[in-house]
Amino acid sequence: MARVEVLTEDHIARVTLTRPDKKNAMDQEMIDSLIAAAGQIAASEARVVVLSGQGSAFCAGIDLAGLGAMIGQDMRALIIPRTHGGGATNQWQEVAMAWRRLPVPVIAALHGQVFGAGMQLALGADIRIAAPDTVLAVMEMKWGIVPDMGGMVLLPRLVRSDVMRRLVYTAAPVRAEQAERWGLVTETASDPFAAAMALATEITGKSPKAIRAAKALMETAETAAAQDVLMAEAEAQAGLLGTPEQMEVVAAQFGKRAPVFK
């Protein structure tokens, strides 16, 4: 795919932004490829995804040439129609929300600039591991616009209201250390890609069905009423207990060995 490479090995799908000469700035080709990559992985047997960028930055934001090309068009006709995500998103929102909707965990390995569109793409991941010198920004206000790629769904789940407002109102970049304190970054690592791959490998050793059930359940837990969460929790557990895969996990624990999943 143009601008994006997908390689799957040992049940880990490595998704890499491949426009290093432009700091992986997001143009239409990359938007299309990211959406297609998420769809490809959803239909695969991958158990976890590692999302990263080539070159000096994870993603420095939207390609301004593409943004400029939108000027003069009917913005409502361009942005309002729900064209993706089963009628839930437009194409820009789908870039981030497709990864949150993916049934398996997504780990973003961040370095360099993570700005604007790149920030919202990273927010779509389950976990974000950043190099200490990573700089992150909700950059849209710099251009007189608001976060519009799922950021207003994802940011409130990660940070306090006052932090979110500061990030959005100012568009000011923050270092990884501050971003970790605020909740934008899960953890820092000198080599975020290696750390992401190590975590991905650990996750692939867990029950694939339980991991998928856990991701779906946590999504419900973040958005639904308490009684609905309790029922979803019971339904998920009932679907796992006593199955061959769950019994293999138990046998492996007692046998002090790694489980084997078919």
Side-chain angles (χ1 to χ4, degrees):
M1 284 174 275
R3 313 292 199 219
V4 176
E5 179 182 74
V6 180
L7 296 173
T8 302
E9 186 176 5
D10 297 330
H11 300 288
I12 300 172
R14 302 198 310 273
V15 179
T16 310
L17 309 187
T18 58
R19 203 186 182 200
D21 56 315
K22 297 293 185 179
K23 295 186 178 179
N24 294 313
M26 202 177 292
D27 61 1
Q28 187 62 52
E29 287 183 284
M30 185 178 286
I31 288 169
D32 292 340
S33 293
L34 281 166
I35 294 170
Q40 175 184 322
I41 292 165
S44 76
E45 295 185 0
R47 297 179 189 171
V48 63
V49 177
V50 172
L51 187 59
S52 65
Q54 289 182 352
S56 63
F58 173 74
C59 176
I62 204 76
D63 188 310
L64 293 180
L67 187 63
M70 294 171 64
I71 303 302
Q73 297 188 52
D74 183 338
M75 291 301 172
R76 291 193 63 83
L78 195 64
I79 295 172
I80 298 301
R82 307 292 86 190
T83 55
H84 293 73
T89 61
N90 61 34
Q91 64 169 335
W92 297 277
Q93 293 165 335
E94 187 68 5
V95 168
M97 297 308 295
W99 304 98
R100 180 50 63 102
R101 196 186 311 115
L102 209 62
V104 297
V106 179
I107 306 166
L110 308 178
H111 73 288
Q113 294 175 339
V114 185
F115 290 168
M119 180 73 255
Q120 292 177 90
L121 172 60
L123 292 175
D126 295 70
I127 295 165
R128 284 156 295 283
I129 303 177
D133 60 353
T134 303
V135 184
L136 306 93
V138 181
M139 188 64 78
E140 284 72 18
M141 192 60 67
K142 179 178 179 180
W143 308 109
I145 56 177
V146 297
D148 64 340
M149 296 176 67
M152 290 295 93
V153 172
L154 301 168
L155 268 174
R157 300 182 188 182
L158 295 174
V159 301
R160 302 188 318 258
S161 177
D162 59 325
V163 170
M164 176 177 67
R165 292 162 192 270
R166 185 185 193 282
L167 291 166
V168 172
Y169 292 156
T170 66
V174 295
R175 294 281 179 181
E177 182 181 4
Q178 179 66 69
E180 183 180 10
R181 287 198 295 269
W182 279 345
L184 281 175
V185 165
T186 311
E187 60 189 74
T188 60
S190 58
D191 186 337
F193 180 76
M197 287 296 294
L199 180 56
T201 300
E202 180 181 353
I203 292 170
T204 61
K206 309 299 183 185
S207 164
K209 290 181 180 177
I211 288 290
R212 285 171 175 252
K215 178 161 182 175
L217 181 58
M218 287 185 284
E219 186 68 20
T220 299
E222 291 178 338
T223 58
Q227 64 184 27
D228 296 324
V229 175
L230 291 169
M231 180 55 73
E233 181 181 273
E235 292 280 3
Q237 200 74 305
L240 294 170
L241 281 169
T243 62
E245 186 168 296
Q246 193 259 332
M247 296 308 293
E248 166 59 14
V249 172
V250 173
Q253 287 292 326
F254 280 110
K256 300 186 186 301
R257 60 174 176 82
V260 178
F261 302 116
K262 297 179 181 180

